[in-house]
């Protein structure tokens, strides 16, 4: 079905992404899964190919095109290839907007060239061991002392946590004020007192480094404050819709990829003298999932258009995130079932897709929190 979202420029960019992924990522991804981390060189290769900072101003080395469809195309191509360990989405879709929209000219000059070249890998650290959904409950503090903040605390589950050179850390600069006393600080690799903990062992996204971070009285110059002091919560609210849209893009692309694989599989697998795809149950299951995925694609494309037009709200993003990621989990589960025992074997891509899917309804805000946001938007 022609969905009218992408034009020829996006399709040309898709070709570039597809070729890049096939050449530079797919042959190595299984090794990176074993290692629990991707090769850093993939980042600079992506930078050279123009796959980082597509929306960053050209004077900083970016693509100069503020159009989320390019981000979505790259996300989709990574999903289709099963390249779930490559954290370009977090870098481009999630951290990028903070560095473009909340920074001073001096900060842009300092960070954006490395952001686009892949020499500076980024992360964002909100979650803590004792506070994930309840962000106002974080314990990390940044006390102002002269021209610096003194940052103390810890973060966990941080994507790109090991590889990152610049981490946007959410900290309390005025603990008395709760959500109105939170700020964002950019912490750079090598700052004294900044240590990485474990690269956490996960059930999926095996090649992605997800780590603990520790801050022991790290002196952060005030020049590394992102946005306004004590406005961190507001800044997060501004930026979370794009993060959640990015997760929804991955969800829908994953549904499409899992269905395509499963349809191929059931055509070839024989049982009781016919293909598994010839059983009515299989046909009905795949018909239902295909229909729901088509609805998801149509809805997602609308969301991307709304986002590009500046009309995509926090509640819109929450709806898109929970609905598409719950669908992804449903599709993953049903597709494993239709593969029978082979669906449980890692040599079949559907097994990895199932494992990679599970976290989608958890990170970026859980389904329950998304429903809370939507409920609140209804005045409830
Ligand atoms: C692979 C991975 C990568 C991640 N990457 C990052 C990252 O890069 N940066 C970052 O900051 N964080 C990251 N996270 C953390 C992620 O955002 C959190 O795990 C998520 O927000 C949930 O927080 P939590 O784990 O503390 O769960 P909790 O908040 O403890 O929630 C536990 C359960 O309680 C439910 N719950 C909580 N509050 C409510 C409520 N009010 N109403 C109903 N139910 C509720 C939740 O929905 C959930 O089901 C990542 C997590 C994973 C697993």
């Amino acid at each position: 079905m022609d969905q009218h979202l992408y034009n020829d420029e996006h399709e040309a960019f898709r070709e570039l992404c597809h070729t890049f992924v096939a050449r530079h990522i797919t042959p190595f991804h299984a090794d990176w899964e074993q290692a629990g981390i991707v090769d850093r060189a993939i980042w600079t290769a992506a930078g050279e190919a123009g796959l980082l900072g597509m929306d960053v101003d050209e004077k900083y080395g970016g693509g100069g095109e503020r159009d989320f469809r390019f981000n979505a195309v790259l996300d989709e191509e990574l999903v289709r290839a099963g390249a779930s360990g490559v954290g370009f989405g977090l870098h481009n879709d999630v951290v990028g907007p903070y560095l473009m929209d909340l920074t001073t000219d001096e900060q842009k000059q300092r960070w954006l060239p490395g952001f686009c070249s892949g020499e500076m890998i980024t992360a964002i650290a909100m979650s803590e061991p004792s506070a994930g959904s309840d962000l106002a409950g974080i314990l990390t503090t940044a006390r102002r002392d002269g021209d610096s903040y003194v940052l103390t605390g810890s973060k966990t589950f941080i994507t790109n946590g090991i590889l990152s050179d610049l981490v946007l850390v959410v900290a309390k600069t005025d603990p008395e004020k709760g959500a109105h006393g939170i700020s964002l600080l950019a912490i750079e690799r090598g700052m004294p007192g900044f240590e990485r903990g474990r690269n956490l062992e996960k059930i999926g996204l095996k090649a992605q480094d997800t780590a603990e971070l520790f801050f022991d009285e790290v002196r952060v110059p005030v020049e590394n404050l992102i946005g306004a002091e004590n406005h961190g919560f507001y800044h997060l609210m501004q930026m979370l819709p794009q993060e959640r849209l990015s997760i929804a893009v991955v969800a829908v692309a994953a549904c499409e990829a899992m269905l395509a694989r499963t349809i191929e599989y059931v055509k070839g697998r024989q049982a009781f003298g016919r293909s598994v795809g010839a059983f009515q149950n299989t046909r009905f299951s795949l018909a239902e999932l295909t229909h729901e995925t088509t609805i998801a694609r149509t809805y997602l494309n609308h969301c991307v258009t709304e986002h590009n037009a500046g009309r995509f709200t926090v509640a819109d993003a929450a709806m898109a995130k929970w609905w598409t990621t719950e669908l992804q989990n449903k599709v993953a589960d049903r597709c494993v079932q239709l593969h029978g025992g082979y669906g449980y074997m890692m040599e079949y891509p559907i097994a990895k897709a199932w494992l990679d899917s599970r976290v989608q309804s958890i990170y970026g805000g859980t389904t329950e929190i998304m429903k809370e946001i939507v409920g609140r938007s209804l005045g409830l």
Side-chain angles (χ1 to χ4, degrees), residues 315-316 318-319 322 369-379:
D316 291 336
M319 282 191 271
W322 79 255
I369 296 300
M370 297 304 97
K371 289 181 180 175
E372 279 294 332
I373 292 171
V374 178
R376 278 202 298 273
S377 78
L378 304 175

Side-chain angles (χ1 to χ4, degrees), residues 43-63:
W43 282 84
T44 42
E48 268 172 43
L51 306 189
L52 302 177
M54 291 84 76
D55 43 6
V56 171
D57 203 317
E58 284 174 16
K59 70 179 176 199
Y60 302 115

Side-chain angles (χ1 to χ4, degrees), residues 5-6 8-20 69-70 72-77 80 297:
L5 179 65
Y6 300 118
D8 290 348
E9 261 185 78
H10 303 111
E11 292 308 334
F13 183 66
R14 183 185 302 285
E15 195 52 43
L16 174 75
C17 296
H18 185 81
T19 307
F20 181 88
R69 288 175 292 183
F70 290 104
V73 164
L74 175 57
D75 297 339
E76 287 174 357
E77 288 307 309
R80 285 176 189 166
R297 166 56 68 188

Side-chain angles (χ1 to χ4, degrees), residues 90 124-129 131-134 156-159 202 205 208 210 359 362-369 372:
L90 190 282
I124 183 160
M126 305 178 225
S127 306
E128 300 189 357
S133 303
D134 179 16
T156 194
F157 302 149
I158 306 309
T159 304
K202 306 184 293 300
L205 307 182
Q208 193 173 96
T210 307
V359 75
I362 296 173
Y363 62 15
T366 63
T367 293
E368 294 74 24
I369 296 300
E372 279 294 332

